[in-house]
């Protein structure tokens, strides 16, 4: 028997995490929501670790604000290096 992978939207996950903070028996809550307790624990951990950056959606990376800044700066550095390389080639061509 093939199991179909279910996808949950961000709002559902955030509400499940909020409910789990107010409840003592997480297994019971997970059954009520139709998910596994392990999945609920995973969502809670992700929410604590990434805060508002949790549950970004398909293909998006979860990053802390510091990681986002590092990614932005790395991209900017790469663009600047490419621009410098192009300018060096242009100087070599026009100086002949």
């Amino acid at each position: 028997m093939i199991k179909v992978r279910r996808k949950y939207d961000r709002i559902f996950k955030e509400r499940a995490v909020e409910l789990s903070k107010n409840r003592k028996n997480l297994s019971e809550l997970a059954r009520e929501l139709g998910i596994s307790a392990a999945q609920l624990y995973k969502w809670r951990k992700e929410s604590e670790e990434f805060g508002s950056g949790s549950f970004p959606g398909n293909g998006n990376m979860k990053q802390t604000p510091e990681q986002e800044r590092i990614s932005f700066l790395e991209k900017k550095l790469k663009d600047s290096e490419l621009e410098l390389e192009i300018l060096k080639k242009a100087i070599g061509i026009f100086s002949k």
Side-chain angles (χ1 to χ4, degrees), residues 63-74:
Q63 295 181 332
T64 62
E66 294 84 17
Q67 290 171 328
E68 288 177 1
R69 177 135 174 89
I70 290 169
S71 296
F72 171 75
L73 292 173
E74 286 175 341

Side-chain angles (χ1 to χ4, degrees), residues 33-79:
L33 295 173
I35 60 175
S36 69
Q39 186 66 58
L40 186 56
Y41 280 107
K42 181 180 173 188
W43 290 346
R44 283 180 61 161
K45 182 179 177 186
E46 184 176 328
S47 179
E48 289 172 10
E49 187 175 343
F50 296 104
S52 62
S54 301
F55 321 121
N58 293 338
N60 299 323
M61 292 177 47
K62 295 171 250 179
Q63 295 181 332
T64 62
E66 294 84 17
Q67 290 171 328
E68 288 177 1
R69 177 135 174 89
I70 290 169
S71 296
F72 171 75
L73 292 173
E74 286 175 341
K75 183 181 182 311
K76 194 171 182 178
L77 176 62
K78 183 179 175 184
D79 291 345

Side-chain angles (χ1 to χ4, degrees), residues 79-92:
D79 291 345
S80 296
E81 288 173 342
L82 180 62
E83 184 178 318
L84 180 62
E85 185 179 324
I86 291 170
L87 290 172
K88 284 181 180 179
K89 287 181 181 179
I91 288 172

